[in-house]
Amino acid sequence: MKWPFGEAPPDPTGRDIPDSSTSDLLSLMEISRVLQDRRTAMQRFTWTTPKARAIFPDKPVPVSTRIPQLWSGYPRLLYGVESGTLSPARRMVAEMMILAGQAAGRFCAERHLPALFRSAPQPIGLADRPKEFDPKLYGGDIPIEIALRNEVAGIPAHYSTIPSEHWMMGIAADGGYVRVTSPLRRFSDMVMHWQIKSALLNVQKPDISKQEMEEYARRLYEQERMISAIDKSRNNYWASVFIQRRLKHDPDDAVLHGCDAYVSTRPELDTYAREYVTQVVLPGLGLRGWLSTAKTLEWELGTKLKADVVDVTMVGKAKIRLRLS
């Protein structure tokens, strides 16, 4: 996590790790590196866009069930940006979770067990992939500007009750991938724990039938989409509020001027403002911006520009308004 405006929460307190645990972690780290290299050799990759994170550091907020309370003013906000690139430790954890999901998927596939197989097909736009799209050049994580320049678009993952391919993870359809590593925070993982345990106890008939699993998969997909959209909207709103306050109280802040901006859409005419508007990605702020120009400019997707934040509009969806530097 980066803190472009300077203020950051205190670092969590660490603790010493015994030598025996260190040896085990290094072994797991080596296994995760081998798994990642194998996926890269299969020409599988991901691309990520940095994401803003608005954080409220003053927790917990004091409350009382007996005395009415009135809050005024604004909560204190911290502004962070997640790069999307995992640290070595988080990468190791992610690889172990993927490996566990593959083991669960293969267990269910071999027993023809109805399960929540997570599937994601090949992204759109990879038919004529240029040399710069070689994941070996970037360790499996393609920079966002290259994905934009080549007009590559991912297809959202969905659920199937039969084994299916997960392209980005390099998991074939004969085994499949099933989430099982977080039953304390994902109810769907708990459902799969019940299903697998029932198969171990009674190989003839699982607790959850194919029809029941299909119905649950449909509901789960819609619920996850809704929760993801709400979380994204909430976070972008508060990140935009932070920038709006910054513009008001410190309009000359260097972070808001000369921002790297990558073109993500073709210019469109705003008939109300009589200007052309182009959506751009702002990696330094972890948000998208709307760049206004007096005339249409034929930029290629992925073109790098320099832009200044000039306004934040909060009507409907929050929008970061930009001008060329």
Side-chain angles (χ1 to χ4, degrees), residues 7-8 10 55-58 74-78 242 245:
E7 188 178 8
I55 297 172
F56 299 87
D58 300 325
Y74 294 100
R76 189 165 70 99
L77 280 173
L78 300 182
F242 182 98
R245 292 187 202 168

Side-chain angles (χ1 to χ4, degrees), residues 63-78:
V63 296
S64 172
T65 58
R66 297 182 178 181
I67 303 173
Q69 297 189 32
L70 175 65
W71 299 90
S72 63
Y74 294 100
R76 189 165 70 99
L77 280 173
L78 300 182

Side-chain angles (χ1 to χ4, degrees), residues 16-89:
D16 295 332
I17 301 176
D19 292 341
S20 58
S21 297
T22 301
S23 177
D24 291 340
L25 288 172
L26 289 174
S27 297
L28 290 174
M29 189 79 75
E30 178 62 21
I31 293 172
S32 70
R33 185 191 63 78
V34 171
L35 293 171
Q36 186 179 359
D37 289 347
R38 185 177 66 180
R39 189 178 305 112
T40 302
M42 297 171 63
Q43 293 292 300
R44 301 297 195 262
F45 58 84
T46 59
W47 67 93
T48 55
T49 304
K51 292 181 175 59
R53 285 286 177 259
I55 297 172
F56 299 87
D58 300 325
K59 298 178 181 179
V61 176
V63 296
S64 172
T65 58
R66 297 182 178 181
I67 303 173
Q69 297 189 32
L70 175 65
W71 299 90
S72 63
Y74 294 100
R76 189 165 70 99
L77 280 173
L78 300 182
Y79 193 107
V81 177
E82 293 180 343
S83 67
T85 302
L86 299 178
S87 67

Side-chain angles (χ1 to χ4, degrees), residues 169-233:
M169 291 185 182
I171 300 173
D174 59 347
Y177 170 73
V178 175
R179 285 176 168 176
V180 292
T181 55
S182 304
L184 294 180
R185 67 181 180 89
R186 279 198 303 252
F187 183 74
S188 57
D189 289 32
M190 180 66 77
V191 168
M192 285 313 307
H193 277 234
W194 292 335
Q195 185 76 325
I196 291 172
K197 288 177 182 178
S198 73
L200 292 171
L201 294 172
N202 181 8
V203 296
Q204 300 299 322
K205 184 180 180 182
D207 278 356
I208 305 173
S209 68
K210 187 175 186 296
Q211 181 178 352
E212 291 171 326
M213 192 67 77
E214 287 176 345
E215 177 59 29
Y216 177 57
R218 283 192 292 269
R219 295 202 313 270
L220 178 63
Y221 177 70
E222 293 301 326
Q223 288 171 354
E224 288 185 346
R225 286 185 61 190
M226 179 181 67
I227 292 171
S228 176
I230 292 172
D231 181 69
K232 181 179 179 181
S233 176

